[in-house]
């Protein structure tokens, strides 16, 4: 951090990493970011974590794609790692016209043979344009993005049971809560600024109940730490709810006024006495009962969850349990109460809101509803498109293998690193006869591209993003993109025109205005307002800063009632056996974000965490004869990787924790593609694995 002499301009924008959505001031000199400071945004009040403060310099990295690239006729086979310092062996530079023409030629007129992955790293306007491009341009709904890999099951359960996919309360509301549950989430590493509010909550006496198979950092602040057996979430949560029913701790008045299906839930819970569930979930019955009493008898309680809840084949059931728990205690719709799935990427909330989902148009309006489709096609001045739900991320890869999808447009996503059972995804990408990748680097996915369109980083863009709190915020360009790289919305428009669409947008504000026509969530939120301040949706008037807590007077469901959906215990898909005796779980680290394409090119972050690694309990390492820092081989039914072992007492002796940011030890070579039947989210959090020492050569 320096003083004003160190920079010649400062621009207010939003951090490019996690869903907390911290507002930042970017200090710029000679078109380079000098440093970043936190400012007083609604989600961060000046705070930043290490990624926000020090992770910006990836945008100036030498590996940025600065010109459109076209695969050479004599290039080696698709999928071989492209050396970013020697990409000329694979690609040649092209003009924008040549690259866009080639990109469009391989897509247009191919209808259902085309699918698209948009990006939660882009703005709301860019996400909206992307889903419109696929729907209007190709007549179907085969468009998805990384929400499928993070909170699709949470969103399914929320829409099913409370009628809306967003959080019911901001995380800052914890300051009004008496008790909070954080389950399947590791905010200290993944939502660090949100975690500071959680810690402050405990300092003023709030009861924090942490539930996770890993002893995540928040345990140090917890009243109760429930380190339950992986995959036993439903058993544990049902046992807690059983206690609430058995001891009459539920809020009958609230249940009568605002919910339905309570009797079925109550009857279902009879079989889940804590004494019967304690072995299955690994938590003593008395602890389960104590947690039930603490949560149910508190005046106000909140529930936060992360991908430890959602990334299971029973991810939707996990979320259904959390929703039921909050509803039966009346912990929704008042200050200090609510349901909050902590969103991962900076704009995964906004990209989902904007319709980058195969079953929903913007604002979660169903593609199967004729009236909804016609409202959109009227605005788009185009013909109707398919009323069938489209394919999801993993289904699209299967359809490529089946020969049904032959061309893809991938904007800012990296399925060659992020998909489960990633060799299956990589083989699919290699099979495509046309792949357009729009990105800022030659990612692992771009290794398979026919055309690479050089895009912009967030700090080079104009647009809006929506954070985990439903706060819509403006991002502004601090620097110009390098070389001939362009903003993503501009590239989308140019590609659409070449695919025959009459798109005439000249600025993201025009896209925002179009979005607002059919998105009730944007009522009273205008571009001009957002230029001055963040607004939380829903906003009830042009002056209303927005509703931090929603559903105080009923839910957007029939008769205004939320629903209890009982959940039964389903075993994980890939359970340990003699050959694969341990449990593998994957996740993020504080310093690295998602597939690492950005943070591993950020100097400070890479210096702190430079090497692929995994964590095991010290007793497990001893048993296997492995020293901390030694190399180990992890093998599942899908494949094998070698990485460095770390000792970590937070990991149970029967588990391995593996970050997924490292291409040299790609975690998703190991993970299971089995999906939750509702949210269609893969089971990243549970695979049977074998661990072996690797002898030094
Ligand atoms: Fe950025 Fe998230 Fe860190 Fe805030 S908490 S600075 S949004 S990575």
């Amino acid at each position: 951090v320096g003083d004003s002499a160190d920079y010649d301009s400062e621009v207010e924008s939003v951090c490019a990493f996690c869903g907390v959505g911290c507002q930042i001031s970017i200090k710029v000199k000679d078109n380079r970011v000098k440093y970043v400071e936190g400012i007083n945004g609604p989600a961060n009040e000046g705070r930043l974590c290490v990624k926000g403060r020090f992770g910006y310099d990836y945008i100036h990295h030498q590996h940025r794609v600065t010109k459109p690239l076209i695969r050479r006729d004599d290039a080696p086979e698709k999928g071989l790692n492209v050396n970013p310092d020697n990409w000329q062996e694979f690609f040649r530079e092209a003009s924008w016209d040549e690259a866009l023409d080639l990109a469009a030629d391989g897509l247009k007129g191919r209808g259902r043979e085309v699918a698209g992955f948009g990006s939660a790293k882009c703005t709301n306007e860019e996400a909206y344009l992307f889903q419109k491009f696929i729907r209007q341009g190709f007549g179907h709904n085969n468009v998805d993005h990384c929400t499928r890999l993070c909170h699709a099951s949470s969103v399914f359960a929320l829409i099913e049971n409370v009628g809306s996919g967003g959080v019911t309360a901001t995380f800052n509301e914890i300051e009004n809560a008496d008790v909070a549950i954080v389950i399947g989430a590791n905010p200290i590493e993944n939502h660090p600024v949100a975690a500071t509010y959680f810690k402050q909550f405990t300092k003023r006496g709030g009861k924090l109940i942490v539930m996770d198979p890993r002893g995540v950092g928040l345990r140090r602040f917890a009243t109760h730490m429930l380190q339950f057996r992986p995959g036993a979430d439903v058993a544990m949560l049902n046992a807690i709810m059983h206690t609430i029913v058995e001891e009459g701790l539920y809020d009958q008045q609230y249940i009568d006024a605002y919910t339905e299906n309570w009797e079925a839930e109550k009857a279902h819970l009879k079989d889940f006495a804590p004494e019967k569930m304690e072995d299955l979930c690994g938590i003593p019955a008395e602890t389960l009962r104590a947690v039930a009493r603490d949560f149910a008898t508190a005046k106000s309680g909140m529930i936060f969850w992360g991908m430890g809840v959602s990334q299971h084949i029973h991810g939707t059931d996990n979320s259904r349990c959390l929703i039921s728990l909050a509803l039966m205690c009346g912990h929704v719709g008042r200050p200090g109460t609510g349901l909050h799935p902590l969103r991962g990427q900076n704009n995964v909330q906004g990209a989902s809101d904007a319709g980058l989902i195969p079953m929903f148009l913007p604002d979660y309006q169903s593609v199967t509803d004729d009236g909804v489709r016609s409202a959109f096609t009227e605005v788009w001045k185009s013909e109707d498109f398919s009323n069938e739900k489209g394919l999801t991320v993993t289904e699209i890869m299967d359809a490529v293998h089946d020969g049904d999808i032959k061309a893809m447009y991938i904007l800012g996503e990296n399925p060659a690193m992020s998909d489960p059972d990633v060799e299956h995804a990589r083989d699919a990408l290699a099979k495509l006869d046309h792949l357009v990748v729009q990105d800022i680097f030659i990612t692992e996915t771009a290794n398979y591209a026919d055309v690479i369109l050089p895009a912009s980083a967030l700090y080079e863009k104009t647009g809006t993003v929506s954070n985990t709190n439903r706060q819509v915020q403006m991002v502004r360009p601090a620097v110009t993109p390098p070389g001939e790289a362009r903003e993503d919305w501009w590239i989308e428009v140019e590609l659409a025109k070449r695919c025959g669409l009459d798109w005439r947008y000249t600025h993201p504000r025009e896209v925002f205005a179009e979005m607002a026509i059919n998105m009730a969530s944007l009522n009273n939120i205008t571009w001009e307002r957002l230029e001055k301040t963040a607004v939380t949706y829903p906003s009830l008037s042009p002056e209303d800063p927005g509703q931090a807590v929603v559903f105080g007077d009923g839910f957007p469901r029939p008769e205004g009632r939320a629903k209890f959906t009982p959940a039964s215990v389903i075993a994980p898909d890939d359970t340990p056996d003699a050959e694969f005796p341990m449990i593998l779980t994957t996740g993020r680290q504080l310093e690295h974000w998602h597939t690492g394409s950005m943070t591993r090119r950020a100097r400070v972050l890479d210096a702190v965490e430079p090497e692929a690694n995994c964590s095991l309990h010290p007793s497990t390492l001893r048993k296997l004869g492995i020293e901390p820092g030694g190399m180990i081989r992890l093998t599942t039914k899908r494949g094998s990787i070698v990485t460095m072992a770390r000792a970590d007492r937070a990991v149970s002796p029967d588990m391995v924790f593996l970050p997924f940011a490292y291409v040299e030890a790609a975690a998703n070579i190991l993970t299971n593609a089995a999906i939750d039947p509702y949210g269609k989210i893969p089971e990243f959090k549970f695979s049977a694995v074998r661990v072996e020492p690797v002898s030094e050569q």
Side-chain angles (χ1 to χ4, degrees), residues 14-22 24 44 47-53 190-194 593:
V14 180
C15 173
F17 295 108
C18 87
V20 171
C22 297
I24 55 176
N44 66 316
R47 309 165 203 199
L48 289 182
C49 79
V50 66
K51 287 192 287 291
R53 191 174 297 282
N190 298 333
H191 302 86
V193 167
W593 194 65

Side-chain angles (χ1 to χ4, degrees), residues 579-582 584 613-614 616 620-621 624-627 629-636 638-646 656 658 664-666 669-670 688-697:
E579 198 180 348
F580 303 103
M582 293 181 65
L584 173 78
N613 60 81
C614 71
L616 298 97
T620 312
L621 290 177
L624 293 166
I626 301 164
E627 290 288 325
M631 301 304 284
I632 59 171
R633 180 178 299 282
L634 305 177
T635 307
T636 68
R638 272 76 52 193
S640 181
I641 63 165
V642 172
T643 187
M644 181 184 69
R646 275 186 181 162
V656 186
L658 180 64
E664 63 274 33
I669 286 175
L670 306 177
V689 66
R690 184 171 67 242
V691 183
E692 299 157 300
V694 173
S695 51
E696 303 290 340
Q697 295 297 309

Side-chain angles (χ1 to χ4, degrees), residues 564-619:
F564 289 98
T565 299
S568 299
V569 175
I570 300 168
D573 180 73
D574 182 18
T575 48
D577 56 18
E579 198 180 348
F580 303 103
M582 293 181 65
I583 299 164
L584 173 78
T585 190
T586 66
R588 285 176 286 163
Q589 293 171 291
L590 172 63
E591 294 80 6
H592 287 304
W593 194 65
H594 296 276
T595 66
S597 60
M598 290 152 62
T599 50
R600 295 198 76 194
R601 291 180 171 99
R603 195 172 44 86
V604 171
L605 302 178
D606 189 51
V608 179
E609 274 295 357
E611 274 181 85
N613 60 81
C614 71
S615 301
L616 298 97
H617 194 274
S619 66

Side-chain angles (χ1 to χ4, degrees), residues 262-282:
W262 168 238
E263 291 305 322
E265 177 76 39
K266 217 160 68 160
H268 179 77
L269 292 171
K270 278 210 171 85
D271 293 335
F272 291 89
E275 292 70 19
K276 269 167 73 181
M277 293 298 116
E278 62 182 353
D279 285 345
L280 183 57
C281 58

Side-chain angles (χ1 to χ4, degrees), residues 388-617:
E388 282 173 39
K389 294 174 184 173
L391 299 176
T392 59
V393 165
T394 53
E395 289 172 339
I396 285 171
M397 290 305 175
D398 290 341
V400 176
H401 278 287
D402 293 343
D404 296 331
I405 288 174
K406 297 190 167 111
M408 285 191 72
Y409 175 25
I410 299 179
L411 191 171
E413 294 252 308
N414 194 7
M417 274 289 282
S418 60
D419 270 25
D421 187 10
V422 80
E423 293 295 7
H424 178 79
R426 291 175 181 178
D427 289 346
L429 294 170
K431 268 191 168 182
L432 290 167
D433 57 39
H434 187 66
L435 174 60
V436 180
V437 170
Q438 183 170 319
D439 215 309
I440 62 173
F441 297 115
I442 301 177
T443 60
E444 292 71 26
T445 300
N447 288 344
Y448 299 83
D450 295 283
V451 185
I452 302 176
L453 304 173
S456 292
L458 198 71
Y459 304 155
E460 298 159 355
K461 290 182 184 218
T462 301
T464 67
V465 290
S466 305
N467 68 1
T468 189
N469 278 345
R470 297 181 269 103
Q471 284 149 350
V472 190
Q473 311 192 86
M474 186 70 74
V475 296
R476 301 174 180 87
V479 293
T480 54
E484 295 178 23
R486 299 297 300 256
E487 288 192 52
D488 292 87
W489 71 267
W490 179 90
I491 305 171
E492 291 172 286
V493 170
E494 291 303 312
L495 193 58
K497 284 183 192 163
R498 284 167 171 82
C499 287
L501 302 180
D502 182 23
W503 284 18
R504 298 177 188 196
Y505 309 102
T506 60
H507 191 276
R509 79 162 68 80
E510 297 157 12
V511 183
F512 184 88
E514 181 179 309
M515 292 167 69
I517 297 170
N518 278 321
M519 290 181 70
S521 63
L522 297 181
N523 286 354
N524 299 309
I525 305 178
T526 61
W527 186 272
E528 291 68 31
R529 254 190 107 179
L530 293 171
E531 280 182 324
K532 295 189 204 108
T533 182
V535 184
T536 306
Y537 74 79
S539 164
L540 305 183
S541 72
E543 293 75 39
D544 175 20
Q547 303 294 300
V549 179
V550 291
F551 309 148
D553 52 1
F555 295 86
R557 290 195 74 256
E559 297 180 33
R561 289 176 180 274
K563 186 171 130 195
F564 289 98
T565 299
S568 299
V569 175
I570 300 168
D573 180 73
D574 182 18
T575 48
D577 56 18
E579 198 180 348
F580 303 103
M582 293 181 65
I583 299 164
L584 173 78
T585 190
T586 66
R588 285 176 286 163
Q589 293 171 291
L590 172 63
E591 294 80 6
H592 287 304
W593 194 65
H594 296 276
T595 66
S597 60
M598 290 152 62
T599 50
R600 295 198 76 194
R601 291 180 171 99
R603 195 172 44 86
V604 171
L605 302 178
D606 189 51
V608 179
E609 274 295 357
E611 274 181 85
N613 60 81
C614 71
S615 301
L616 298 97
H617 194 274

